[in-house]
Amino acid sequence: MTDYRLTTVETVRETGSWAFTAREGDEDREVFLVPCADEPGGGAGAAESDNPDRAVRAWINRCTHEDQRLHREGVGAVTRGGSVVCPKHGSAFDACDGSCDNGEAAGTTLREIDVAVRDGAVFLTDDDLTYLYEGLPDDDGDDDGPSSSSHLTF
């Protein structure tokens, strides 16, 4: 399989998240990228310089608790303190390892998609997925946002 160039680390950092759609078998999968800066030294740019493959991480675009998008077109993924926050229930998933230790999704982990960073570009390297297009599929307007039961406000 040939790696597919998705975007740049700079774009993911500037926008906070970046999404694409891929094919896995007979199913389309929504995937989103988020910056990861858990490398020693921390701070902006640390992940890219210390370990380029960890500069961004890719996750299936669904909360593990309920079939809820974590990244939405026009909004992106809500991130706070190194976590991706589910807009419906407020569960926070670590942006670097996908784990959740709070809320309705506590004890679960997002499904990771393999990506690599080379020369500042992010490549899809997951053998199970074939890139289809940038962005998310139109789901006929029924994803105007969650009916939140979270106590968090964004």
Side-chain angles (χ1 to χ4, degrees), residues 8-101:
T8 65
V9 172
E10 181 180 350
T11 296
V12 176
R13 287 200 175 129
E14 286 177 359
T15 59
S17 62
W18 188 89
F20 67 97
T21 302
R23 175 68 46 93
E24 180 179 39
D26 293 335
E27 300 283 328
D28 288 357
R29 301 285 184 218
E30 297 177 16
V31 181
F32 70 102
L33 307 172
V34 288
C36 174
D38 73 343
E39 293 300 303
E48 185 174 7
S49 61
D50 294 345
N51 184 352
D53 282 339
R54 293 195 56 85
V56 298
R57 304 298 273 185
W59 309 104
I60 291 291
N61 190 26
R62 290 288 184 247
C63 178
T64 56
H65 166 247
E66 194 171 293
D67 190 25
Q68 171 67 49
R69 282 180 166 159
L70 298 172
H71 174 104
R72 293 183 304 132
E73 289 297 333
V75 176
V78 174
T79 57
R80 180 175 287 161
S83 294
V84 176
V85 181
C86 176
K88 186 163 186 176
H89 293 108
S91 293
F93 297 89
D94 185 280
C96 298
D97 70 18
S99 66
C100 180
D101 62 4

